[in-house]
């Protein structure tokens, strides 16, 4: 009987492959460990920013954002903007000292979606991203119970907006009318506002190979003028709005202790800021009603205007009816009032072709003082809403 006796070179190969395997395992563990450390760092940063603003954080939501980012990287779904080689090649020189004046001669390589919270900005952004292929970067805040199809918000941009606001004792729902974009620029230049997340965003939006891009966070209505000097392009803007009572009711349902009065006031402040802060930019106007009524036609119109009127590079895809039907679910528009119910209410005012109907307050009838304040705020918001419909609110001399 003969036995196989391994030759010396066979033993060498076995030893070699053993070392290769060990190196691969070691490298894999190193990469996984690095990803976990980075994930923990993101969560820690999110917790730090949100806690100091005294705004509750949904840990599960932020975990999902980071986990999706890691899954995409493992599956090879790399976007040029987040590739490390691109980070090095398009590295921001110095954020604090590299602020340029906002100039008209900058090219237009992307656009910002502006609109109040709960106004359909996520649905509109999702249609533009999924249907036309506009780029949003990563990691993104992932879908949640109050936005089942996703937010399409770049996480480092959300966190940087927190930084800009926090220095002035502002958050998304408090003191937004007091935000001063010039002060934010000055404090950033002095080093008093952290810029780590700003650099991550600029490595995406200022990457010349990463176009056309879309940036969306409702608080951009407030902070837009702070971002503009850092961008190498002059962005276009999509502005969209929703009925103020629908927005206020949605916030009341989502946020504990959030009154209708507060929601109406925020609706006014956000929309006012969005229009004023984008006055010198090329804008395309839409509304939640227009998008819901005919998503296919409305998004095509928006993209046509972005491309031909504002100079945004053409998107790589054309939306299809299948994408629209898969993405748009009218039931996602929580607290949507039925038109026939509204038409049965008393007409309080007529503003052009727009009628302002009465509504059912959630306040006790005995609370007359608060009901009066709420009604006054409702009428102010509804007049602006009517002026959005007629286009009057977009004029430079509009009185807010």
């Amino acid at each position: 009987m003969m036995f196989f006796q391994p030759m010396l070179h066979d033993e060498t190969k076995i030893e070699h492959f053993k070392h290769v395997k060990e190196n691969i395992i070691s490298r894999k563990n190193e990469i996984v460990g690095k990803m976990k450390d980075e994930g923990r760092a993101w969560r820690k940063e999110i917790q730090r920013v949100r806690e100091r603003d005294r705004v509750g954080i949904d840990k599960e939501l932020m975990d999902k954002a980071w986990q999706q980012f890691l899954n995409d990287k493992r599956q090879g779904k790399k976007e040029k903007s987040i590739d490390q080689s691109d980070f090095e090649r398009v590295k921001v020189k110095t954020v604090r000292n590299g602020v340029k004046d906002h100039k008209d001669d900058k090219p237009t390589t992307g656009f910002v979606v502006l609109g109040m919270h709960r106004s359909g900005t996520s649905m509109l952004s999702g249609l533009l991203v999924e249907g036309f292929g506009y780029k949003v970067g990563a990691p993104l805040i992932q879908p949640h119970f109050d936005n089942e199809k996703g937010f399409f918000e770049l996480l480092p941009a959300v966190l940087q907006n927190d930084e800009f606001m926090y220095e002035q004792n502002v958050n998304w729902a408090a003191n937004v009318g007091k935000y001063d974009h010039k002060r934010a620029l000055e404090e950033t230049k002095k080093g008093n506002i952290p810029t780590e997340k700003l650099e991550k965003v600029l490595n995406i939006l200022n990457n010349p190979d990463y176009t056309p891009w879309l940036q969306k966070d409702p608080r951009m209505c407030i902070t837009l003028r702070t971002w503009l000097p850092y961008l190498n392009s002059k962005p276009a803007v999509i502005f969209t709005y929703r009925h103020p009572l629908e927005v206020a009711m949605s916030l009341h349902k989502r946020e504990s202790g959030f009154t209708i009065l507060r929601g109406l006031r925020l609706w006014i402040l956000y929309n006012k800021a969005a229009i004023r802060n984008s006055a010198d930019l090329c804008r395309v106007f839409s509304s939640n009603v227009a998008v819901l009524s005919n998503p296919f036609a409305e998004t095509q119109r928006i993209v046509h205007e972005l491309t031909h009127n504002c100079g945004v590079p053409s998107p790589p895809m054309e939306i299809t009816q299948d994408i629209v039907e898969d993405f748009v679910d009218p039931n996602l528009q929580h607290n949507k009032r039925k038109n026939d119910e509204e038409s049965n209410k008393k007409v309080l005012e007529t503003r052009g072709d727009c009628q302002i109907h009465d509504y059912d307050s959630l306040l006790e009838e005995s609370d007359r003082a608060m009901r009066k304040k709420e009604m006054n705020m409702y009428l102010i918001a509804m007049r602006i809403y009517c002026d959005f419909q007629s286009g009057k609110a977009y004029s430079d001399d509009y009185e807010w």
Side-chain angles (χ1 to χ4, degrees):
M1 181 179 293
M2 297 182 64
F3 295 94
F4 174 73
Q5 190 73 20
M7 302 292 289
L8 179 60
H9 67 276
D10 292 322
E11 293 177 350
T12 303
K13 286 182 178 180
I14 291 172
E15 190 66 23
H16 171 71
F17 287 127
K18 181 180 178 181
H19 284 301
V20 169
K21 181 179 179 181
E22 290 176 349
N23 288 336
I24 291 174
I25 293 174
S26 176
R27 179 58 177 160
K28 178 182 177 181
N29 291 336
E30 179 183 343
I31 292 173
V32 171
K34 185 176 180 181
M35 285 182 171
K36 288 182 178 179
D37 289 342
E38 194 169 353
R40 283 192 290 268
W42 272 106
R43 290 193 294 273
K44 184 177 180 180
E45 175 66 11
I46 294 165
Q47 187 73 36
R48 179 184 69 83
V49 173
R50 293 301 172 89
E51 279 186 347
R52 72 187 185 190
D53 278 350
R54 298 183 179 179
V55 178
I57 177 174
D58 192 314
K59 183 176 181 294
E60 179 187 0
L61 181 61
M62 296 306 176
D63 282 349
K64 286 174 66 179
W66 182 250
Q67 191 58 50
Q68 184 62 45
F69 177 53
L70 297 185
N71 290 342
D72 288 347
K73 290 187 75 173
R74 292 191 186 104
Q75 295 171 15
K77 297 179 182 179
K78 294 182 178 179
E79 296 191 81
K80 290 183 177 180
S81 66
I82 59 173
D83 189 278
Q84 187 61 36
S85 62
D86 283 327
F87 275 2
E88 296 300 322
R89 183 164 52 83
V90 196
K91 189 175 287 292
V92 179
K93 293 181 180 179
T94 306
V95 172
R96 292 179 184 171
N97 300 319
V99 181
K100 300 177 181 178
D101 292 333
H102 172 50
K103 297 180 179 179
D104 290 338
D105 58 356
K106 291 181 180 180
T108 299
T109 58
F111 59 93
V112 180
V113 178
L114 296 182
M116 168 61 184
H117 296 271
R118 316 306 298 159
S119 292
T121 56
S122 296
M123 180 180 65
L124 176 56
S125 297
L127 285 168
L128 295 172
V129 171
E130 301 293 339
F132 296 90
Y134 289 107
K135 301 179 180 180
V136 287
L140 298 177
I141 296 180
Q142 294 298 295
H144 200 230
F145 76 92
D146 58 341
N147 245 339
E148 291 93 335
K149 296 293 184 177
F151 293 85
F152 298 91
E153 295 179 11
L154 185 61
L155 188 52
V158 171
L159 292 177
Q160 188 59 54
N161 275 327
D162 277 330
E163 297 287 6
F164 287 145
M165 288 180 160
Y166 173 72
E167 194 278 331
Q168 299 182 35
N169 194 30
V170 175
N171 67 46
W172 75 272
N175 298 326
V176 293
K178 297 180 180 180
Y179 182 80
D180 183 343
H181 78 275
K182 292 182 179 179
R183 171 178 165 177
L185 285 170
E186 186 63 29
E187 294 303 319
T188 302
K189 186 176 180 180
K190 292 178 181 178
N192 295 332
I193 296 178
T195 59
E196 177 188 354
K197 303 303 179 293
L198 175 60
E199 293 186 33
K200 291 181 181 295
V201 177
L202 297 182
N203 279 325
I204 295 174
L205 303 187
N206 285 345
N207 186 336
D209 296 326
Y210 194 76
T211 61
W213 51 261
L214 178 158
Q215 170 59 33
K216 177 254 175 182
D217 176 1
R219 288 166 303 166
M220 280 287 187
C221 296
I222 311 301
T223 65
L224 178 63
R225 303 306 297 188
T226 304
W227 286 88
L228 293 180
Y230 291 110
L231 299 177
N232 291 341
S233 67
K234 182 180 180 181
V237 164
I238 298 176
F239 172 74
T240 187
Y241 63 94
R242 184 183 179 191
H243 194 288
L245 191 57
E246 291 177 8
V247 171
M249 291 294 292
S250 182
L251 287 172
H252 173 75
K253 181 178 180 180
R254 190 185 73 172
E255 306 288 337
S256 177
F258 214 97
T259 66
I260 300 301
L261 176 62
R262 188 181 183 189
L264 292 171
R265 183 184 292 113
L266 275 178
W267 186 93
I268 295 169
L269 291 172
Y270 266 79
N271 286 302
K272 175 182 177 180
I275 297 303
R276 286 188 168 181
N277 288 334
S278 63
D280 60 340
L281 301 175
C282 183
R283 298 183 294 197
V284 178
F285 301 113
S286 185
S287 70
N288 190 54
V289 170
V291 174
L292 278 178
S293 297
N294 194 335
F296 186 79
E298 181 65 3
T299 53
Q300 284 190 320
R301 180 192 69 81
I302 290 171
V303 169
H304 178 83
E305 291 194 24
L306 285 173
T307 304
H308 295 90
N309 296 351
C310 298
V312 176
S314 299
M317 297 164 49
E318 284 291 336
I319 196 168
T320 64
Q321 190 62 40
D322 288 341
I323 292 176
V324 171
E325 292 175 359
D326 180 64
F327 194 85
V328 178
D329 178 5
N331 292 326
L332 292 180
Q333 299 300 304
H334 307 297
N335 295 308
K336 185 171 180 58
R337 297 168 302 110
K338 296 180 180 179
N339 291 332
D340 57 343
E341 291 180 354
E342 181 189 67
S343 62
N344 291 331
K345 297 291 183 182
K346 175 184 176 182
V347 176
L348 302 176
E349 286 186 18
T350 299
R351 200 169 177 87
D353 295 331
C354 180
Q355 291 185 329
I356 301 176
H357 293 262
D358 199 357
Y359 69 99
D360 295 324
S361 176
L362 301 179
L363 296 171
E364 296 291 339
E365 289 191 16
S366 59
D367 196 352
R368 295 181 180 179
M370 287 304 298
R371 285 176 72 98
K372 183 177 180 180
K373 287 183 179 180
E374 185 181 274
M375 174 58 76
N376 289 338
M377 193 65 66
Y378 170 72
L379 289 174
I380 293 172
M382 282 302 301
R383 290 164 190 152
I384 297 171
Y385 177 78
C386 289
D387 291 343
F388 278 149
Q389 289 187 327
S390 67
K392 182 180 178 181
Y394 303 130
S395 62
D396 294 337
D397 58 352
Y398 183 72
E399 294 184 8
W400 292 86

